[in-house]
Each structure stands twice: as structure tokens, then as C-alpha cells.
Amino acid sequence: NAGVTQTPKFQVLKTGQSMTLQCAQDMNHEYMSWYRQDPGMGLRLIHYSVGAGITDQGEVPNGYNVSRSTTEDFPLRLLSAAPSQTSVYFCASKQGAADYEQYFGPGTRLTVT
Amino acid sequence: AQKVTQAQTEISVVEKEDVTLDCVYETRDTTYYLFWYKQPPSGELVFLIRRNSFDEQNEISGRYSWNFQKSTSSFNFTITASQVVDSAVYFCALSEWDDYKLSFGAGTTVTVRA
């Protein structure tokens, strides 16, 4: 199993540009989520999905869109990038609710200039 | 709302010293789950341990040990005889019953000097 994969690993955008961060998992996990990591703030939940066709907002959803058309994929879209979105983004998946271990992808380092 | 506090921002020790990382949590649920993750300089997030709210038995795994105390809402983590490879950011996290979401603390950066 590849686990959770993310592409790209690094990305530089100009303010106002749009892009999609890709995330895929091959463990047949129902739950997937996106976090951003900023210095001194830990990981904050952006959006999550409990299954194909179902998405919901997390703690910091503004400026991001998601969709979940398949169990495997959960892309994160930045519609109009802003410098405040400079961060490291992690995708994660887990098999079920609270007590299951969450598996993380390797992260995408995004810089918006 | 759930909340996780890691008051220690950075800890620096010399190799072979013990390191204890503090984690205090808030939740209204009686059933919840606590986690510790490690993020080494390479950036990936590594799962270390999971504890449920009904299991206050402390655990030792090699050089790692965990102290869970519901009375003080704390879930502390100790590295015994630290090594340079233990240098990382350590995150405490909380998930409430029947909730998929994981709430993280701000993390504690541990630096172990040779």
C-alpha cells in the first residue's frame, strides 16, 4: 500500500492564482481530511469528508474548496491564493471514527507571493 | 468544544536526559481518545500512541512512557534517556466519541544535543 499520497510536494503561487492540491489513499478509508500547519499553531482542520459525496467544513475553511467523488481521492482547491495561505498542507485518512489512527500524507509546502 | 494545550513551546536537553512533554485537554464528552504524534525534521507525521478515556493505565514502550490522568485532564509523554534522533516536534491530539475530527495542540519542539 502507498498509504496517503499528496502532490505536489512544493508549490509557489502568485496572489490570485488558483490551484488544486491532490490527495489519494489506497486503504479504502471512509474518512479523509485536510489540515494546514503554521508555526506555533499546530495542525488546523480545513475540510473533511466522511465518505464519497459528503464533505464538511473544519476550523479554517475560508478560501478553500473540496469535493469527494470517490473514496480514494480528496482534492483541495485554492480558488484565489492569498499570502495568508502560505503553509504546509497535510492530507489524512482514517478507517473510522474517534479511536482510529489517522494516517497522514507527506505534506505539500505552499508559498504564495 | 474540544481543546488541547501544550504549554511548552520548546525544550532543549543534552543527550541521555529525560524529557517530559505536557498536554492538557478540555472536553465535555466522557468518552474520548488522546493521541501523540511525532514530526521529525523530515516533516512527516508519525503516530506514537492512542489512549481512550476509560484506560488510565500508564504505558511504557521502550524509552517512551505516557501518563494519563483524567483528574487533571492531562496526558503527558516522557522520553527516557533521550537521543539525538528524538529531536522533533511532538503533538498531542484529542478526538471525541463518535467524532472523526482530531484536534491538535500547538506542538512542542524537542531538541536533543549530543
Side-chain angles (χ1 to χ4, degrees):
Chain A
N1 286 349
V4 181
T5 58
Q6 291 182 238
T7 56
K9 290 188 177 180
F10 301 94
Q11 182 70 48
V12 179
L13 290 178
K14 295 187 186 303
T15 297
Q17 287 184 321
S18 63
M19 80 159 295
T20 299
L21 307 185
Q22 300 292 343
C23 174
Q25 52 91 9
D26 61 359
M27 298 173 281
N28 201 34
H29 287 171
E30 288 298 317
Y31 180 74
M32 297 185 73
S33 54
W34 277 101
Y35 292 85
R36 59 177 289 173
Q37 182 180 13
D38 302 293
M41 304 190 76
L43 281 82
R44 292 182 293 169
L45 183 64
I46 304 172
H47 284 285
Y48 65 98
S49 168
V50 299
I54 306 170
T55 63
D56 206 345
Q57 296 181 350
E59 182 184 355
V60 288
N62 292 342
Y64 308 94
N65 275 359
V66 292
S67 60
R68 183 98 178 269
S69 56
T70 67
T71 299
E72 294 78 20
D73 300 299
F74 191 43
L76 178 72
R77 299 183 188 84
L78 283 71
L79 302 177
S80 179
S84 61
Q85 294 179 304
T86 293
S87 187
V88 180
Y89 292 85
F90 288 96
C91 180
S93 75
K94 59 192 299 191
Q95 183 177 351
D99 62 333
Y100 285 89
E101 175 189 345
Q102 189 150 239
Y103 294 83
F104 286 87
T108 295
R109 185 174 294 273
L110 175 68
T111 301
V112 183
T113 61
Chain B
Q2 56 196 38
K3 182 179 176 182
V4 179
T5 302
Q6 295 180 253
Q8 304 153 306
T9 305
E10 295 183 26
I11 299 176
S12 181
V13 297
V14 176
E15 212 170 13
K16 297 184 183 179
E17 288 184 349
D18 296 348
V19 181
T20 295
L21 308 181
D22 298 332
C23 174
V24 175
Y25 60 92
E26 295 177 29
T27 177
R28 294 176 184 165
D29 275 13
T30 56
T31 302
Y32 50 89
Y33 300 87
L34 296 162
F35 302 79
W36 276 97
Y37 282 84
K38 173 183 178 180
Q39 186 179 43
S42 52
E44 75 273 22
L45 285 152
V46 179
F47 166 78
L48 293 178
I49 190 173
R50 169 184 56 237
R51 264 288 175 270
N52 69 58
S53 54
F54 296 111
D55 182 5
E56 288 194 73
Q57 183 176 1
N58 295 320
E59 181 174 336
I60 298 174
S61 176
R63 295 184 299 107
Y64 296 163
S65 62
W66 291 268
N67 186 348
F68 175 34
Q69 293 191 341
K70 287 180 70 173
S71 60
T72 56
S73 298
S74 64
F75 185 45
N76 298 337
F77 170 48
T78 297
I79 305 171
T80 302
S82 61
Q83 301 175 0
V84 173
V85 292
D86 296 325
S87 296
V89 182
Y90 291 83
F91 292 100
C92 182
L94 166 71
S95 186
E96 294 175 332
W97 170 248
D98 207 27
D99 190 352
Y100 290 84
K101 299 188 293 294
L102 201 58
S103 294
F104 284 84
T108 299
T109 300
V110 174
T111 302
V112 182
R113 308 185 308 276

